[in-house]
Amino acid sequence: MTGIPSISLLAAAAAPKIDLHTVDYLILLVYILVVVGIGFVLKKHVKSASDFLTSGRSIPVWVTGLAFLSANLGAQEVIGMAASGAKYGIMTSHFYWVGAIPAMIFLAVFMMPFYYGSRARSVPEYLKLRFDEKTRGLNAISFALMTVASSGASLHALAALLHLLLKWDYNFSLIVSSVVVLAYVLKGGLSSAIYTEVLQFFLIVLGFAPLVIIGLNDLGGWSGMMSAMKPEYAHSWKYMGTATANPMGVEWFGMVFGLGFVLSFGYWCTDFLVVQRAMAAKTMGDARRTPIIGAIPKMLFPIIVIVPGMIALALAAKAGSNYGIPVGVTGETDYNLVIPSLIAHYLPTGMLGLALTALMASFMSGMAGNVTAFNTVWTYDIYQSYIGKGKSDAHYMWMAKFATVAGIVISIAFAYVAKNVDNIMDFLQLVFGFVNAPVFATFLLGMFWKRATGHGAFYGLLVGTVAAMIFHGMSSPKILEVGETIYWIKGAWINSHFQFTSSMAQNFWLAIVAWSVCFVVTIVISLFTTRTKTDAELKGLVYSLTDKLKEEGEPLWMRPAVVGSVVLLIAVALNIIFW
Amino acid sequence: MNFDLRLPIGILFSLFGLILTVFGWFTRNDTEMYVKSLGKNVNIEWGIVLLVFGVFMLFLAKRGKKA
């Protein structure tokens, strides 16, 4: 869920050529001035560390709802989902209708009351209140490392893309985009990041919609596009009976349990980067409605980010279209350049500037989201807990701003590492995958089983991570011939006992194994260790010990459980329509 | 927080709409600016869409202030 598209500086032998004109630069300049201006306007509202790091819980619900969706609308979503659309067709919608909507509704209805009601300022702090200090420390430190690495990877991808498409100097792109993000985050803190994420949401919709409209028109509409694709690319479930029958190489159980449950609930329900948006809402009701408001456009977002990939797939197959998906120097198709190549193919000067500004905004917004999550976890969960206890609010405000600058500087360092060290980002993504895979088991048991203990949670997480590592060492992302070996980052560095038809299937099953091991180990260790928290201390943190929220007085359309159920039904209907 | 995000959204997209519409008008006969598959210049049309959206957001922001 945190993957960043890999864009090499030498990526494409046939990279799309894009020439920007004055009007395109003017659009980009106007956007930068407005987002930096928002930061400066918000500066006067930031009077305390709480204002800077948590927005003082004062953001309107329509803003937190769209920011909840937009926090995930970084490079992976825009570049990566279009790439997947071209690679897997309509099956890519599983990342939305299976891999996002159910988890967002679960968070809204069942988990948000504990995050918001406990007055925890971050997800790691919830773990401290529910379990103990060591569980919080493990989660906080791994999360802080992940956010700056993701931010650096996003920065590298942006600079590499601009160098490839526009021939901009790599260092110039890196520094300018970092300075813009720093300018508005340092002034307005989390509020700045949230407000610019919403701005970026509208920009992506209005910047990429022409691409979809013009592309579909060129192919003779939706039916024209679908008829140009092979059948297995035009159905989301029909070919999922076996892994070899569909382009993803994943069978239905791995998809539903691996992506739809373990990975998606692990990301949407426990990743502080997205949960932080809901925690900034004004009231408990607004905090619960935030993920649901985000889920509604999320369901429809495949139109903006996946359909362009499908257009590219159909267009490349259409005789006389004069379009081909870019090919890299190794001769392999480079799907990450699908969106830039479509922009170059269809959009004239003016609309080109709008689409490229939307693309840059998605990268910068992804970076800002990571930096604001990092500065909160660093200040509250690491610095205040272990280094500088009992200091004044002004001191923590200073530390939060210092962490913002440090987060950007570390991101730049990570970007240069990604540029100069082969496979380093693949390695980091692998390690983060090991750490993330079991985490939802800990939260699920913590919130819904009062007997779960701190020792159980901590060692469950550790053993789950080790299980993920071992499973990776015993599995391969392809069916190997006798004596065939693969590069160790791809797996099978112990043996190749489990052989999958794709790396996606391998990742889904790795997550299933890690989650299951963590779940069982946490239960067993909890049963053999003494509870350190009384029922009174766990009130507001565990489902069975917390007063149920009363929704009877609210109109139907304001009740999270009711609206969430309707959204889920629509998601089910979409799965059936595109079966 | 006394800050209405609809105002900067309205300003941004009104500006984008104006830029695209004016640019589209001055280049309306320039075939280089055509979307090849449509055989025409659509900067004006999309500029108007952005302008309408921007003005609508400004209207919402103004109405919100009155309330």
Side-chain angles (χ1 to χ4, degrees):
Chain A
M1 290 283 176
T2 55
I4 301 287
S6 165
I7 295 169
S8 163
L9 287 168
L10 302 168
K17 187 173 178 296
I18 294 178
D19 290 321
L20 293 187
H21 293 82
T22 308
V23 69
D24 301 313
Y25 285 111
L26 182 61
I27 287 171
L28 181 59
L29 184 66
V30 166
Y31 175 75
I32 288 173
L33 289 175
V34 169
V35 294
V36 173
I38 286 176
F40 276 84
V41 170
L42 288 172
K43 183 173 180 276
K44 65 180 180 190
H45 296 287
V46 177
K47 295 183 173 67
S48 68
S50 169
D51 290 340
F52 189 82
L53 295 170
T54 67
S55 297
R57 291 191 163 183
S58 64
I59 308 276
V61 68
W62 74 272
V63 175
T64 56
L66 289 179
F68 185 88
L69 161 70
S70 306
N72 177 250
L73 205 52
Q76 190 210 20
E77 192 89 351
V78 179
I79 298 268
M81 286 299 166
S84 295
K87 211 171 175 180
Y88 309 122
I90 194 82
M91 284 183 74
T92 309
S93 63
H94 289 319
F95 286 97
Y96 291 77
W97 304 333
V98 176
I101 302 300
M104 291 163 92
I105 303 305
F106 186 83
L107 171 70
V109 176
F110 295 107
M111 293 178 74
M112 224 44 237
F114 304 118
Y115 284 139
Y116 198 87
S118 66
R119 305 298 296 177
R121 297 165 301 182
S122 68
V123 167
E125 189 166 54
Y126 170 82
L127 287 177
K128 186 217 169 187
L129 296 170
R130 172 59 187 88
F131 291 119
D132 55 18
E133 192 59 71
K134 64 180 181 295
T135 309
R136 183 251 283 266
L138 179 65
N139 185 262
I141 291 166
S142 60
F143 179 79
L145 281 172
M146 272 187 269
T147 50
V148 286
S150 291
S151 175
S154 187
L155 194 55
H156 165 66
L158 172 63
L161 188 69
L162 293 178
H163 177 77
L164 193 68
L165 301 179
L166 307 173
K167 306 297 175 228
W168 287 9
D169 180 68
Y170 180 89
N171 302 313
F172 171 80
S173 303
L174 203 75
I175 300 303
V176 167
S177 42
S178 301
V179 167
V180 170
V181 171
L182 183 63
Y184 69 80
V185 173
L186 198 57
K187 292 295 173 191
L190 178 64
S191 301
S192 262
I194 286 177
Y195 284 135
T196 49
E197 280 162 7
V198 176
L199 212 61
Q200 168 231 354
F201 166 80
F202 288 113
L203 188 56
I204 285 178
V205 171
L206 292 167
F208 288 140
L211 207 57
V212 176
I213 296 166
I214 295 168
L216 284 176
N217 180 72
D218 191 19
L219 290 164
W222 180 265
S223 56
M225 179 182 75
M226 296 304 262
S227 63
M229 289 192 282
K230 292 177 185 169
E232 60 268 34
Y233 289 83
H235 295 275
S236 63
W237 286 101
K238 190 176 177 181
Y239 296 95
M240 292 210 70
T242 60
T244 50
N246 62 73
M248 269 188 181
V250 180
E251 90 306 345
W252 70 271
F253 184 82
M255 177 63 72
V256 172
F257 199 65
L259 174 69
F261 179 64
V262 177
L263 288 173
S264 120
F265 280 66
Y267 176 74
W268 290 102
C269 300
T270 73
D271 192 308
F272 182 51
L273 175 60
V274 287
V275 174
Q276 187 179 28
R277 273 73 195 142
M279 290 168 86
K282 287 179 180 175
T283 65
M284 169 70 87
D286 283 355
R288 297 181 73 200
R289 281 184 279 273
T290 290
I292 295 174
I293 288 172
I296 295 166
K298 182 79 178 172
M299 269 192 303
L300 305 174
F301 231 71
I303 297 169
I304 295 292
V305 293
I306 296 176
V307 170
M310 294 166 66
I311 288 170
L313 181 65
L315 200 59
K318 184 183 165 188
S321 72
N322 193 26
Y323 172 83
I325 295 173
V327 174
V329 284
T330 57
E332 290 182 6
T333 305
D334 192 341
Y335 289 101
N336 283 326
L337 290 173
V338 159
I339 275 277
S341 68
L342 277 182
I343 288 173
H345 182 75
Y346 279 129
L347 298 185
T349 299
M351 290 166 84
L352 177 71
L354 192 67
L356 273 178
T357 301
L359 201 58
M360 287 182 70
S362 78
F363 281 92
M364 289 196 285
S365 179
M367 186 181 173
N370 277 305
V371 168
T372 50
F374 168 78
N375 66 20
T376 305
V377 167
W378 166 263
T379 305
Y380 285 148
D381 293 300
I382 298 173
Y383 182 77
Q384 190 176 34
S385 300
Y386 305 114
I387 303 167
K389 293 181 181 179
K391 305 275 188 187
S392 68
D393 186 76
H395 178 81
Y396 291 127
M397 173 88 151
W398 176 86
M399 178 48 67
K401 291 191 171 185
F402 172 79
T404 304
V405 177
I408 298 267
V409 170
I410 297 168
S411 300
I412 293 172
F414 261 110
Y416 279 113
V417 169
K419 180 190 174 195
N420 294 310
V421 182
D422 283 347
N423 295 318
I424 185 72
M425 282 301 160
D426 292 341
F427 173 70
L428 285 175
Q429 205 158 311
L430 185 68
V431 173
F432 296 156
F434 296 158
V435 174
N436 281 333
V439 79
F440 183 63
T442 306
F443 280 85
L444 193 66
L445 288 168
M447 285 187 177
F448 297 96
W449 188 44
K450 68 176 183 179
R451 185 66 186 79
T453 65
H455 290 314
F458 181 77
Y459 292 107
L461 272 175
L462 282 185
V463 176
T465 301
V466 171
M469 213 178 296
I470 292 171
F471 184 83
H472 179 260
M474 295 175 68
S475 62
S476 75
K478 56 182 280 197
I479 308 298
L480 299 174
E481 304 289 333
V482 176
E484 186 184 359
T485 56
I486 54 171
Y487 186 47
W488 68 271
I489 275 185
K490 294 180 184 301
W493 41 270
I494 298 173
N495 59 42
S496 54
H497 186 74
F498 304 101
Q499 299 194 4
F500 295 95
T501 45
S502 69
S503 58
M504 200 177 287
Q506 181 193 24
N507 288 336
F508 290 172
W509 277 96
L510 181 147
I512 291 170
V513 168
W515 186 91
S516 305
V517 168
C518 177
F519 191 78
V520 171
V521 168
T522 302
I523 290 173
V524 170
I525 293 180
S526 292
L527 291 174
F528 281 93
T529 50
T530 312
R531 280 178 65 186
T532 54
K533 304 265 186 185
T534 64
D535 280 5
E537 287 175 299
L538 293 180
K539 193 175 180 192
L541 300 166
V542 178
Y543 188 78
S544 62
L545 301 173
T546 304
D547 298 334
K548 302 297 167 283
L549 293 168
K550 294 193 170 26
E551 296 180 347
E552 286 76 15
E554 294 186 328
L556 278 180
W557 59 274
M558 291 281 277
R559 297 183 195 178
V562 174
V563 183
S565 301
V566 172
V567 171
L568 264 183
L569 283 174
I570 297 171
V572 169
L574 286 168
N575 276 296
I576 293 168
I577 291 166
F578 294 98
W579 188 271
Chain B
M1 187 175 288
N2 185 23
F3 176 79
D4 193 339
L5 182 61
R6 290 171 295 194
L7 184 65
I9 290 175
I11 292 170
L12 181 70
F13 285 98
S14 297
L15 281 173
F16 282 168
L18 273 175
I19 291 168
L20 274 191
T21 307
V22 171
F23 177 74
W25 174 257
F26 281 112
T27 58
R28 64 191 183 281
N29 297 320
D30 183 351
T31 54
E32 280 293 300
M33 297 298 161
Y34 281 18
V35 171
K36 304 286 182 289
S37 63
L38 297 175
K40 64 174 190 173
N41 185 335
V42 291
N43 269 328
I44 295 178
E45 283 92 331
W46 201 248
I48 290 170
V49 169
L50 296 182
L51 196 54
V52 168
F53 175 72
V55 170
F56 176 65
M57 290 307 261
L58 288 173
F59 166 73
L60 288 180
K62 189 167 181 283
R63 204 181 63 160
K65 261 198 177 138
K66 275 184 182 170

